[in-house]
Amino acid sequence: MASLTEENKSIALRFSKEGWGTNPNWQQIWDELMSPDVVYYFNSTPEPIVGLEANKAFNESLFQGFRDIHQTMADMVAEANKVVYRTSIEGTHTGEFLGTPPTGKSIRVNDFTLLELADGKIVKWWYECNLLAVMQQLGLV
């Protein structure tokens, strides 16, 4: 039988791969892996996004801006009920992103995700990437 830490790593890996917003069934994966009242802290914003449906809507809006975006897993570390992983993401800005019209430019940035799990579900989620670097690559700053 796998340890709780290994089970949590497995959930996090599935979330990062199958729950990625360009995969056709990502919302179903989120239904399976996330708590209905998941709390998401996106890039240190002061107010989290609370609830599965609100998080789906927010995430869908992000992926509309970069429909070809993909990630490459670099590292994953887990301890007890928390898993952190680092990836690099690349994509082309072809749709609205955080209120910004498409520029047609490509971005590449590293990011970190920290997940807290309880009873096999993601209950808290922190995501950090350098949005300044993204905006610079898009020629907006």
Side-chain angles (χ1 to χ4, degrees), residues 43-113:
N43 276 304
S44 298
T45 53
E47 294 299 320
I49 302 164
V50 179
L52 180 57
E53 294 309 315
N55 276 287
K56 283 183 190 177
F58 178 75
N59 208 58
E60 188 170 31
S61 75
L62 294 178
F63 282 94
Q64 298 274 330
F66 293 88
R67 292 187 179 109
D68 68 344
I69 199 162
H70 64 279
Q71 69 175 345
T72 304
M73 180 69 68
D75 297 294
M76 181 179 281
V77 179
E79 185 173 321
N81 67 334
K82 293 193 174 143
V83 180
V84 65
Y85 56 87
R86 178 178 68 89
T87 65
S88 62
I89 56 175
E90 297 180 60
T92 308
H93 185 211
T94 57
E96 187 176 308
F97 173 70
L98 298 176
T100 304
T103 62
K105 295 183 178 180
S106 295
I107 59 110
R108 184 179 197 291
V109 67
N110 295 318
D111 61 357
F112 286 90
T113 298

Side-chain angles (χ1 to χ4, degrees), residues 5-78:
T5 299
E6 289 303 313
E7 286 177 29
N8 288 339
K9 274 179 79 171
S10 177
I11 291 166
L13 190 58
R14 186 167 178 226
F15 174 66
S16 74
K17 291 183 176 192
E18 296 176 40
W20 188 245
T22 56
N23 290 342
N25 298 321
W26 71 269
Q27 292 190 9
Q28 293 166 347
I29 301 302
W30 283 35
D31 290 341
E32 290 177 40
L33 300 181
M34 286 194 176
S35 167
D37 56 354
V38 63
V39 178
Y40 178 35
Y41 299 88
F42 176 77
N43 276 304
S44 298
T45 53
E47 294 299 320
I49 302 164
V50 179
L52 180 57
E53 294 309 315
N55 276 287
K56 283 183 190 177
F58 178 75
N59 208 58
E60 188 170 31
S61 75
L62 294 178
F63 282 94
Q64 298 274 330
F66 293 88
R67 292 187 179 109
D68 68 344
I69 199 162
H70 64 279
Q71 69 175 345
T72 304
M73 180 69 68
D75 297 294
M76 181 179 281
V77 179

